[in-house]
Amino acid sequence: ERGETGGSPRQRTLQRSFGELAQLAGWLACDAGAHPQAEQLWLQGLDAAAVTHDVRLGATIISCLSYQSLWTGQPGLALDLMSLARTAARGWPGGAFQSLLATRQARAHAKLGQVWECERTLSDARRLLDTGEKGDDPDWVFWVSPAVLAADAGRARLDLGRCGEAITDLDDA
């Protein structure tokens, strides 16, 4: 039986698994400094997410592209991508998932020197983690915790040049 994506349930599961593997392989390539390969893998994963209508996987992959943009000195592009990812994922369950997207957007604001926007987005991240239902998150965000948020806030505040606040955040982490 064919589903609305043009494939059987098995085919959709296979496509989703491919998308998840492409996301992971993209991170590995990015960590190795192979940025063009990372982007290629993430775009393949994004195609798989689109075929399966997996909004959360798509938003996650877009956030990966955003983070790479930060690391390669393109904070404006990073912010555009994170805004897109958060808009696409808005309303989807998962406090840790939503919180992770928010901290990534906060880092982009910080790199652009947007203090108010960074602080507002860090506040959103804390609220989302505190109010989200734990069972609604994808399995892979098990590591997102208050300590991770504190560390991300510390890095964002370092990017803003707010060293005293960053030290407090990093100590809390």
Side-chain angles (χ1 to χ4, degrees), residues 43-119:
L43 292 175
Q44 290 172 345
L46 197 54
D47 286 343
V51 166
T52 60
H53 302 282
D54 191 332
V55 173
R56 214 171 354 198
L57 177 60
T60 301
I61 292 170
I62 291 170
S63 80
C64 295
L65 287 161
S66 172
Y67 232 47
Q68 179 172 268
S69 296
L70 274 181
W71 294 335
T72 59
Q74 302 171 74
L77 176 58
L79 182 57
D80 289 345
L81 289 167
M82 275 317 306
S83 296
L84 175 64
R86 289 196 67 203
T87 298
R90 187 168 288 125
W92 280 78
F97 168 72
Q98 295 288 349
S99 181
L100 177 65
L101 294 180
T103 62
R104 289 179 176 177
Q105 184 175 3
R107 289 291 306 279
H109 284 302
K111 286 285 191 181
L112 290 166
Q114 300 171 344
V115 177
W116 184 86
E117 293 88 346
C118 176
E119 292 297 336

Side-chain angles (χ1 to χ4, degrees), residues 131-155:
T131 61
E133 293 293 324
K134 302 296 183 229
D136 289 337
D137 280 310
D139 292 340
W140 59 265
V141 294
F142 68 90
W143 54 272
V144 177
S145 67
V148 169
L149 292 188
D152 283 349
R155 286 190 290 272

Side-chain angles (χ1 to χ4, degrees), residues 13-26:
T13 298
L14 182 61
Q15 275 283 46
R16 185 172 288 110
S17 296
F18 173 78
E20 291 170 354
L21 287 171
Q23 185 225 350
L24 177 60

Side-chain angles (χ1 to χ4, degrees), residues 19-31 34 37-38 41-42:
E20 291 170 354
L21 287 171
Q23 185 225 350
L24 177 60
W27 266 120
L28 294 173
C30 182
D31 283 345
Q37 291 81 4
L41 287 160
W42 284 328

